Amino acid sequence: MTVVRPARDADLPALTAVYNAHVVGSHATFDTLPWSVAQRRAWAAQYAPTGPHRLLVAASPTGRVLGYATSSRYRAKPAYDASVETSVYLAPGAGGRGTGTALYGALLDALVAEGLHRAYAAVALPNDASLALHRRLGFSSVGTFSQAGWKLHRWVDVHWLERELAPDPDHPGGARPRA
């Protein structure tokens, strides 16, 4: 059984290892150089156990980190504050057992409870597993940026998806922006 919980400081080495596996071995991220744990500390500091910007961890019953999911600021301008960009990364070998669904689903449930309006996600193509996960959790396609990045000796397209989190029928754009 997978345990989903807010990240802890002690998770940072494992979270860095999960991310770095994607940095060096896939086009899931457009970072091209591995990060040190010290460098990732500032990244982790932007998240909190509550609120719109979260970092959740999926762990095995023995405590081994299987992956993580985040919700980050979508854009810096205040009108975007009711929206977040989400992402999910699993450790090598952790896919195909429902871990991503449990982890990402818990993050999305937390964001709905926050009253946010939209979640956006970018998936570097090809990545059938990630597209299936997003669609299973209610995301719909918005469009594809062709040849958005150069990684692993080729151009990579990025497909954008969105999901409504919490509609507000009294507000013309949906959920009310945070004050």
Side-chain angles (χ1 to χ4, degrees):
M1 175 178 175
T2 300
V3 176
V4 177
R5 59 172 172 75
R8 303 176 189 137
D9 288 340
D11 296 324
L12 197 53
L15 297 176
T16 303
V18 167
Y19 188 70
N20 283 341
H22 291 279
V23 169
V24 301
S26 80
H27 60 263
T29 174
F30 282 2
D31 275 325
T32 57
L33 297 173
W35 289 72
S36 70
V37 173
Q39 290 169 315
R40 290 294 274 181
R41 197 166 307 286
W43 164 82
Q46 70 182 307
Y47 301 107
T50 61
H53 306 132
R54 298 192 187 205
L55 170 56
L56 296 183
V57 169
S60 71
T62 63
R64 184 173 75 89
V65 170
L66 303 172
Y68 67 90
T70 64
S71 58
S72 304
R73 188 171 209 184
Y74 175 64
R75 296 280 189 260
K77 295 180 172 70
Y80 291 114
D81 284 351
S83 299
V84 291
E85 184 172 346
T86 58
S87 62
V88 60
Y89 290 94
L90 296 180
R97 289 179 250 154
T99 302
T101 301
L103 175 60
Y104 213 20
L107 176 67
L108 293 168
D109 288 347
L111 298 175
V112 166
E114 288 292 331
L116 295 169
H117 181 55
R118 285 271 194 277
Y120 297 101
V123 176
L125 301 177
N127 192 333
D128 292 342
S130 184
L131 289 174
L133 172 65
H134 283 87
R135 290 188 178 119
R136 186 168 45 256
L137 292 173
F139 282 82
S140 58
S141 294
V142 176
T144 301
F145 293 170
S146 298
Q147 300 182 355
W150 178 263
K151 179 119 186 235
L152 301 175
H153 310 289
R154 68 178 192 86
W155 288 108
V156 179
D157 296 347
V158 175
H159 190 73
W160 280 88
L161 301 106
E162 69 178 350
R163 179 188 151 162
E164 182 178 276
L165 296 171
D168 180 352
D170 297 328
H171 190 270
R176 286 187 178 87
R178 300 174 154 282

